[in-house]
Amino acid sequence: MTVSEAYRPLVVDELARSRAIIHIDLDCFYCQWQGLVAVNYPARDRGVKRLDTVAEAREKCPEIKFVHVATFTDTSPPAYYPSPSPTTHKVSLDEYRRASRKIMDVARRLCPTMSKASIDEAYLDVSEVVKDEILRDLEREHLEWASSEEAAWANDALISADALTEPTLMLPVPIVRWIAMSRKGKEREPVSGSLPGMTDFGILVGDAPPVSYSWGDLQL
């Protein structure tokens, strides 16, 4: 029996202790009457914020372009009218609901265990997908194992040199080397020390350590 085959049932048991959940939140950019409902990233870089008034946004970013949410009246269907008035027009979110249904259908097809939270938010339980990917990395020997000194704080049992000949096999702790990015996701700096063939993990923002040691982090 190979090391990966011996570890497999232990890894499956360990991964069953927690779930991997993805939260998706769609970006919809439009304004509603004199307040901004959503702001895209270039405008945010200029200091424009959600709920700013149109006048405030123009002061911060004179070249800003506004897109008004679709509206309708008692006698006209929902559309993007050039000069809607709050006295005659009502807000219509029909187009966003249609777009939401299309996107949620895609998410549901890719992840049947999803839960819709709102018109533009959903939670996807990808635990089984993550488990399968980790098991593939295990079989390919693409996982790095922490030494007892590196993972002592985790209070996990580590494999000894002759563990495969012992009656009880103890599961080691994986090393997770993160990819450093700016908070806006524009800069990518691979963490030094990764071994050839090893998987790049996730996005690191803020002052978090570039390396961690746990099965929960590996699921992330």
Side-chain angles (χ1 to χ4, degrees), residues 27-109:
D27 280 331
C28 299
F29 306 131
Y30 55 87
C31 65
Q32 180 176 318
W33 308 128
Q34 291 302 310
L36 304 188
V37 178
V39 181
N40 64 15
Y41 294 105
R44 293 180 194 182
D45 289 341
R46 300 290 296 275
V48 180
K49 301 188 299 295
R50 183 174 180 269
L51 302 184
D52 277 355
T53 66
V54 169
E56 290 170 337
R58 286 193 189 280
E59 184 176 348
K60 297 174 182 177
C61 182
E63 67 272 27
I64 194 169
K65 303 296 183 183
F66 297 108
V67 178
H68 198 287
V69 66
T71 59
F72 66 96
T73 69
D74 292 338
T75 58
S76 62
Y80 290 96
Y81 296 100
S83 300
S85 168
T87 60
T88 56
H89 292 70
K90 297 179 181 179
V91 166
S92 170
L93 297 180
D94 288 352
E95 183 163 344
Y96 298 96
R97 293 191 179 99
R98 286 193 292 270
S100 173
R101 283 194 293 270
K102 291 179 180 179
I103 294 172
M104 295 302 171
D105 285 345
V106 171
R108 191 173 290 107
R109 186 169 67 251

